[in-house]
Amino acid sequence: MLPVECRRCGNSVLVEKYSEAHTSVQWLGDAERSCPEFAQLAAAGEHSMFIPTCGALRGSIDDAVDDGRVGLSLRSYPTPGRLD
Ligand SMILES: [Zn+2]
């Protein structure tokens, strides 16, 4: 996974791209605290587990892919997360 920074809030996430349609985003901190856009949504009762990125971060990730900073992963499928 590669670090990508949100151009609006500066929050860093890890990104791995499996296919054109499948980009995996892993938050390093509490999204609702690190990103003002998520904080706003959370305050309105919408929680970030249903929205993978904020709008600015989505654009930042697209830019990183366009730049070639994030290329397609050679792994065929994401490793499942663990709850511990
Ligand atoms: Zn953000």
Side-chain angles (χ1 to χ4, degrees), residues 6-11 27 34-38 53-57:
C6 177
R7 61 185 159 210
R8 190 185 304 160
C9 61
N11 184 43
W27 290 80
S34 23
C35 176
E37 192 167 323
F38 274 173
T53 65
C54 71
L57 182 57

Side-chain angles (χ1 to χ4, degrees), residues 1-81:
M1 303 199 90
L2 289 156
V4 173
E5 206 171 90
C6 177
R7 61 185 159 210
R8 190 185 304 160
C9 61
N11 184 43
S12 276
V13 294
L14 294 174
V15 175
E16 186 149 14
K17 200 163 171 56
Y18 298 97
S19 72
E20 278 315 309
H22 187 175
T23 303
S24 170
V25 178
Q26 188 182 318
W27 290 80
L28 298 172
D30 181 352
E32 289 172 14
R33 240 175 306 186
S34 23
C35 176
E37 192 167 323
F38 274 173
Q40 231 171 29
L41 289 168
E46 252 189 87
H47 288 281
S48 51
M49 58 187 106
F50 303 114
I51 38 168
T53 65
C54 71
L57 182 57
R58 178 88 256 162
S60 307
I61 292 170
D62 287 347
D63 284 356
V65 171
D66 286 349
D67 285 5
R69 273 183 288 147
V70 175
L72 277 187
S73 171
L74 297 174
R75 277 195 282 151
S76 55
Y77 209 73
T79 46

